[in-house]
Amino acid sequence: MAKLTTKNKPYPIRHYVRIMILVSFIVLVLDLVISITSISIVKQQSTRYLQDTANLYINRINHDFSYINHYMGWTLANDESLNMMNAYDTNSSEFLKSNENLHKRFTELQKNYGQEYNFFFYLKNQSFFLNCAPISVSYTDYRELKKQISSYIENKDVYEKFYSKWTPILVNGNYYIINIVPYYNRYLIGLISADNLIRPLRQINLGANGYASLVDEKGANISNLISNSGQLLQKDTGIANLVKSRTTIISGFSNTTFSAKMVIKFGAFENIMIAQLLIMLLFFIVTSTLCAVMLFFNRRVLGPIQNFSDNLTHINEDGQPADFKSSKIIELEQANAQFKDLVEQIKTFKIAIYEQELEKQRIQLDYMKQQIKPHFFLNCLTSIYSMAQIQMYKEIENMAMSTSKYFRYIFQNGENFVRLEDELDHVRIYLEIQKNRYRDAFIYQIEQDELTKDVKIPPLVLQTFIENSIKYAISRDQEVQILLTVKHQQIEEEAMTVILISDSGPGFLPSVLEKLTQGQPLDQINGTQIGIMNTLKRLEYLYLKKAKVSFSNLEGGGACVILTLPELSSTSI
């Protein structure tokens, strides 16, 4: 018994406040450690990934350099075009034809390795310098390049620096990587801009101010300093450069005098850590302040509120709250009395609202059904009156009999659902009534799937859309075709009855079709389009928003309505 009492021993609120402060401090320290560790691990992984990426790129460039160097050497030694060009005058037809062949050869090479590479040849005997592939350098750079290459070849000491080795040179303030391959008195030159060579490495995310560049043997940049965001950077100097977090990767190319340099700046990681520390510090301050407030209001507020909370949780099974324990806060005692009254009012209101909602739905459904019946009744009387004016007595007899059958069906049927087979017979009667009126103005065809004969649907739904076709599609100019097909389909593993009603008339007006497809209500100010809107509301109520109705215009002309109705069970009907 003593152990049980010790286990359930209550503690003062100051005890829980100390626990909250201790937990907050531990969470703060753990967050600091985790943040620093996470940043260190991410930096190492990012650096390793970038180093591997740089190595892959450098290996590819080394392979390209080696192949291009070998290709130029082979061409100098074995291609007859250069021999012919060296033997003939520059204005001769043999020279021009050989130059064209050489241009085609290096154009193909350029297609394989990129338009950034430029190729030139120099014939020392003729002092002739020309490109042997399309060039991407400016004309001023081209002229300066021609002068420099001529001077390099004449100066043997300088020439050894470029002999079959890719080397950076400065041309009009722009750095290019050049390779000169000799063979007796003729030379082939490969060239690429330093910025073009380093461009693929600039696509790597190196931080907001990180950059990739080419550097020479002394570490000087031979390409522009451009950040990931495309901004031109200035060289970092001073104390600010020492405190910035960065990682530098330098990888050299084989058989060259320059290297690729990537400067990775991880400023975002330090910002994340500082933000986390500030959040935890704010959490610690808020927790401490809250604890102080809880201690201050413990006797005056927390105790009485706890008593009131206990009263709210102990509600009798009949929904009545238990008696409130007396407190020194009069507002809480008044709130308890009001709470008892509120429980009674909520119960009364819930019952009243539920009954009102049921009554509202029943009235709306009955109203819409009654609204549809006189709509067609007036049309029938108008049709009989029109035939009487032109003394169509036989047709009046048929019209009267069909109308009698039509309204017998309506007045004898007070259900919300009828057999689809009966509804189709009713539609046939309606169409025959209209044929007595319009004669040869239209023909109709009704097709029904055998599986749909016992399906039940709301009455007068099909007539609404057939009536719309009669009203807007029929004209005296041409015969209109009205088609009604009923099929049984499985849609998403659910049995559906799909009803298609189409005509060959002018179709829906664009404004009406747009509202129907977007589910917007139609304009019923003049008493038109009531049937369609009421039918859509009936389907929404009766099928609990599971029925779908789509409207469209056919390509060859005419309106089309497709009803997709769930096949309801007898219990739901």
Side-chain angles (χ1 to χ4, degrees), residues 26 43 67 86 125 151 175 187 202-203 205 295 299 440 480 555:
I26 294 174
K43 288 176 66 175
Y67 181 84
N86 195 43
N125 292 341
S151 64
Y175 275 97
Y187 304 85
R202 288 175 177 168
Q203 308 302 320
N205 185 7
L295 287 173
R299 294 182 180 180
D440 298 328
V480 175
E555 293 184 359

Side-chain angles (χ1 to χ4, degrees), residues 210-375:
Y211 62 89
S213 66
L214 294 179
V215 294
D216 58 15
E217 296 173 319
K218 297 180 180 180
N221 290 310
I222 59 175
S223 62
N224 294 322
L225 298 181
I226 299 177
S227 67
N228 268 151
S229 59
Q231 300 294 327
L232 190 62
L233 299 176
Q234 299 294 331
K235 187 174 181 181
D236 294 333
T237 57
I239 300 177
N241 182 40
L242 300 176
V243 299
K244 288 184 179 179
S245 175
R246 65 176 60 205
T247 299
T248 302
I249 298 174
I250 299 179
S251 300
F253 296 89
S254 61
N255 197 29
T256 62
T257 60
F258 60 92
S259 304
K261 176 182 178 182
M262 290 191 297
V263 177
I264 312 162
K265 296 188 177 181
F266 296 96
F269 295 109
E270 284 75 7
N271 294 336
I272 293 174
M273 184 181 71
I274 294 174
Q276 288 180 332
L277 292 178
L278 291 176
I279 291 173
M280 294 306 301
L281 181 61
L282 178 63
F283 168 74
F284 184 78
I285 294 173
V286 171
T287 304
S288 301
T289 305
L290 181 61
C291 293
V293 172
M294 291 175 64
L295 287 173
F296 182 77
F297 289 101
N298 180 33
R299 294 182 180 180
R300 298 294 182 91
V301 179
L302 295 181
I305 290 178
Q306 183 62 45
N307 292 335
F308 182 72
S309 177
D310 293 340
N311 181 56
L312 297 182
T313 55
H314 292 83
I315 298 178
N316 296 333
E317 294 182 356
D318 58 355
Q320 297 295 334
D323 292 333
F324 178 63
K325 299 177 182 179
S326 178
S327 68
K328 297 181 181 180
I329 302 178
I330 190 172
E331 289 83 2
L332 292 180
E333 294 181 353
Q334 293 175 352
N336 181 68
Q338 294 175 358
F339 177 72
K340 291 181 179 180
D341 295 336
L342 182 61
V343 170
E344 289 294 333
Q345 293 178 14
I346 290 175
K347 291 175 60 179
T348 304
F349 288 156
K350 286 176 64 177
I351 295 173
I353 291 174
Y354 180 75
E355 292 177 349
Q356 290 176 3
E357 185 66 24
L358 291 178
E359 182 66 16
K360 177 183 176 182
Q361 291 185 3
R362 185 186 65 80
I363 292 174
Q364 287 179 337
L365 189 58
D366 290 342
Y367 172 74
M368 287 187 295
K369 290 170 63 177
Q370 293 298 328
Q371 193 177 23
I372 291 176
K373 293 173 183 177
H375 180 67

Side-chain angles (χ1 to χ4, degrees), residues 152-171:
Y152 295 157
I153 293 174
E154 296 297 333
N155 190 335
K156 293 185 177 180
D157 295 334
V158 177
Y159 168 71
E160 291 180 356
K161 180 181 178 181
F162 299 96
Y163 177 76
S164 296
K165 181 185 295 184
W166 293 87
T167 307
I169 61 171
L170 184 63
V171 179

Side-chain angles (χ1 to χ4, degrees), residues 170-183:
L170 184 63
V171 179
N172 292 333
N174 298 317
Y175 275 97
Y176 293 92
I177 310 301
I178 190 172
N179 179 24
I180 302 176
V181 180
Y183 189 78

Side-chain angles (χ1 to χ4, degrees), residues 76-92:
L76 284 170
N78 299 281
D79 196 335
E80 290 297 328
S81 298
L82 282 172
N83 292 331
M84 296 289 291
M85 294 169 65
N86 195 43
Y88 289 92
D89 184 75
T90 57
N91 294 322
S92 64

Side-chain angles (χ1 to χ4, degrees), residues 8-167:
N8 298 325
K9 177 183 177 180
Y11 294 95
I13 191 171
R14 286 184 293 273
H15 173 76
Y16 298 102
V17 170
R18 295 191 191 100
I19 293 177
M20 292 176 63
I21 295 175
L22 179 61
V23 170
S24 301
F25 178 76
I26 294 174
V27 171
L28 185 65
V29 174
L30 288 176
D31 181 75
L32 177 62
V33 174
I34 292 173
S35 298
I36 296 175
T37 304
S38 300
I39 291 174
S40 177
I41 293 174
V42 171
K43 288 176 66 175
Q44 292 176 4
Q45 292 178 345
S46 300
T47 303
R48 189 181 304 111
Y49 164 75
L50 294 174
Q51 180 69 66
D52 294 340
T53 303
N55 290 337
L56 287 174
Y57 173 71
I58 289 172
N59 290 336
R60 185 178 69 83
I61 295 300
N62 287 335
H63 177 269
D64 293 349
F65 280 173
S66 176
Y67 181 84
I68 292 174
N69 189 55
H70 173 76
Y71 186 86
M72 290 192 297
W74 185 92
T75 301
L76 284 170
N78 299 281
D79 196 335
E80 290 297 328
S81 298
L82 282 172
N83 292 331
M84 296 289 291
M85 294 169 65
N86 195 43
Y88 289 92
D89 184 75
T90 57
N91 294 322
S92 64
S93 60
E94 291 82 358
F95 183 93
L96 296 176
K97 184 176 181 181
S98 300
N99 183 27
E100 183 180 356
N101 293 334
L102 186 65
H103 194 276
K104 290 180 179 179
R105 174 183 290 273
F106 278 90
T107 299
E108 290 298 323
L109 179 65
Q110 193 181 58
K111 290 180 180 179
N112 294 330
Y113 289 91
Q115 299 294 329
E116 299 84 3
Y117 285 94
N118 300 271
F119 298 98
F120 308 88
F121 67 90
Y122 179 73
L123 303 179
K124 188 175 182 180
N125 292 341
Q126 292 94 330
S127 296
F128 186 80
F129 181 86
L130 188 65
N131 61 294
C132 53
I135 60 175
S136 57
V137 299
S138 64
Y139 181 70
T140 55
D141 287 355
Y142 172 80
R143 294 185 60 183
E144 179 64 23
L145 180 66
K146 178 180 179 180
K147 293 180 182 180
Q148 291 191 27
I149 290 177
S150 298
S151 64
Y152 295 157
I153 293 174
E154 296 297 333
N155 190 335
K156 293 185 177 180
D157 295 334
V158 177
Y159 168 71
E160 291 180 356
K161 180 181 178 181
F162 299 96
Y163 177 76
S164 296
K165 181 185 295 184
W166 293 87
T167 307

